[in-house]
Amino acid sequence: MIVLGIETSCDETAAAVVDGERRIRANIVLSQIDDHRPYGGVVPEIAARAHVEQIDGLIRQAMDAAKLEFTDLDGVAATAGPGLIGGVMVGLVTGKAIAAAISRPLLAINHLEGHALTARLTDNLAFPYLLLLVSGGHCQLVLIEGLGRYRRLGTTIDDAVGEAFDKAGKMLGLDYPGGPAIQKAAENGDGRLIKLPRPMLGREGCDFSFSGLKTAVRRLLDKQPELRAKDVAAGFQAAVGDVMVDRAGNAITMARAIYPDLDHLVIAGGVAANNHLRLRLDELCRERGLDLVAPPAHLCTDNGAMIAWAGVERLAAGLHDPLDAPARDRWPLDPDAKPMPFAGKKA
Ligand code: KG4
Ligand code: ZN
């Protein structure tokens, strides 16, 4: 089974080909970071236009790299949400056109499901497992019980963790995006003298909150402008690490109340590339008797392979979608989870 995957929900234009034997035949990602850098954040209109300009050539490149003709495909998977709606439409319409032209099934993929299932592509992981999804748009702890069976245990009540990294990076005058820049700056920094709050730490459940931490960084820099960016970066990372370990620890307890033998924690999303967080979560997993599964960084950030793989899984389960499948800006993984008014589509 061979599936083409298309991803255009944020600021990466991506196309990949993945097969049923978990082989990534091609995986091409074009980052738009340079287009958005002057604005210090993703500009939806610029993103959508860049996707339109790049997507056809990128798919051609992926098919060439995989040494395949379109008619070799068994299905076409495209992100149908959640994300920036203009971009989602570009990829989804392209996927529909290819599916219609070659008379193969369309798979309209939830971007979050792509992140959620990546560990099955990279590590052949069996259900159930606990997922910590940490990206620019999301911060959730989800119990992955089976294909299409996702139980949200906790989520952010305001900002996503990647958003907090990006905003803190901006305040510190670091390069865009802030996440990798903070990690790099923190390498030579000493966070021990940096006093920052640990929002939600010690609270029941496993929800997150990051808007207070962001404000605290602002206040700290106003009060002590002499602080070195690298020290604040290290202090910020330490604060996020403490919160993550506390929240994930509670989620493990909650998940094990349902599946006592649960033994894998998976991290996914762009922030999962962070070394410090990986170390802290690895310690937590060792203490609690779980294995931490961290897919390689290039499969943690947005990519087409995760979308193609979600397509492979859905196709293998006999699922596919009609050609009028809608593009959605909001599309929770767990439809039963309660909405978070201040987090909107991030929850
Ligand atoms: O999953 P992703 O590529 O896009 C979505 O948001 O869906 O995640 C991007 C986010 C950005 O906020 C970026 O700053 C963050 O992931 N990020 C990192 C690192 N690499 C990327 N955050 C912390 N440390 C990193 N090494
Ligand atoms: Zn993502």
Side-chain angles (χ1 to χ4, degrees):
M1 188 188 293
I2 306 179
V3 173
L4 169 68
I6 301 169
E7 159 59 38
T8 55
S9 67
C10 191
D11 60 341
E12 274 94 13
T13 316
V17 181
V18 174
D19 69 28
E21 272 72 59
R22 305 178 22 248
R23 271 192 304 250
I24 300 176
R25 307 271 193 108
N27 186 23
I28 300 182
V29 180
L30 201 79
S31 164
Q32 301 174 359
I33 282 179
D34 292 338
D35 299 333
H36 301 289
R37 180 172 283 115
Y39 309 94
V42 178
V43 184
E45 289 77 8
I46 292 178
R49 181 164 293 268
H51 288 308
V52 171
E53 283 164 5
Q54 300 295 344
I55 192 67
D56 291 355
L58 205 78
I59 291 172
R60 183 72 265 164
Q61 244 180 294
M63 295 301 292
D64 288 347
K67 300 194 178 63
L68 293 170
E69 301 299 329
F70 283 109
T71 47
D72 295 325
L73 297 171
D74 296 294
V76 181
T79 299
L84 302 172
I85 196 70
V88 172
M89 284 165 70
V90 172
L92 184 57
V93 167
T94 306
K96 287 176 178 177
I98 297 171
I102 60 174
S103 306
R104 298 292 191 280
L106 169 77
L107 301 130
I109 304 295
N110 183 321
H111 177 89
L112 304 176
E113 183 172 50
H115 282 303
L117 298 176
T118 300
R120 290 169 55 76
L121 166 66
T122 56
D123 293 76
N124 205 9
L125 204 61
F127 298 122
Y129 52 87
L130 181 61
L131 170 75
L132 172 61
L133 175 61
V134 279
S135 72
H138 299 275
C139 188
Q140 307 189 347
L141 280 151
V142 188
L143 189 52
I144 309 300
E145 302 182 278
L147 183 66
R149 291 174 49 219
Y150 311 115
R151 198 191 301 220
R152 194 188 76 191
L153 302 178
T155 186
T156 183
I157 60 170
D158 43 52
D159 294 350
V161 61
E163 197 179 354
F165 267 98
D166 293 340
K167 287 178 178 162
K170 204 169 177 177
M171 292 175 205
L172 289 169
L174 300 174
D175 192 16
Y176 169 83
I182 285 187
Q183 172 173 316
K184 189 152 178 285
E187 276 166 19
N188 311 307
D190 181 355
R192 282 173 301 183
L193 299 172
I194 304 299
K195 296 260 179 299
L196 286 171
R198 269 69 175 156
M200 306 299 270
L201 193 111
R203 291 240 208 131
E204 208 179 282
C206 60
D207 285 334
F208 297 89
S209 166
F210 288 104
S211 83
L213 181 57
K214 172 185 74 187
T215 314
V217 173
R218 172 83 282 150
R219 278 216 204 94
L220 185 69
L221 293 174
D222 286 346
K223 243 199 272 167
Q224 293 175 263
E226 74 283 3
L227 288 174
R228 299 184 306 181
K230 59 186 181 180
D231 296 336
V232 179
F236 175 83
Q237 251 185 196
V240 174
D242 285 348
V243 168
M244 286 290 160
V245 166
D246 179 76
R247 306 286 80 196
N250 282 3
I252 292 168
T253 305
M254 291 161 80
R256 280 188 168 159
I258 304 166
Y259 297 102
D261 299 329
L262 184 108
D263 56 6
H264 286 95
L265 171 66
V266 175
I267 51 174
V271 183
N274 187 276
N275 294 342
H276 177 75
L277 286 186
R278 285 187 181 216
L279 278 176
R280 295 293 312 273
L281 291 166
D282 201 40
E283 279 167 18
L284 170 72
C285 284
R286 259 184 277 142
E287 272 168 31
R288 301 288 304 268
L290 286 91
D291 286 330
L292 179 69
V293 177
H298 73 283
L299 296 174
C300 280
T301 48
D302 290 350
N303 64 87
M306 70 182 197
I307 302 305
W309 175 252
V312 167
E313 293 237 34
R314 293 180 68 79
L315 203 54
L319 301 169
H320 58 85
D321 296 284
L323 283 177
D324 64 353
R328 313 185 195 189
D329 63 336
R330 206 185 120 78
W331 187 1
L333 254 191
D334 177 354
D336 299 329
K338 82 175 197 302
M340 293 286 176
F342 297 107
K345 64 185 179 188
K346 283 175 262 177

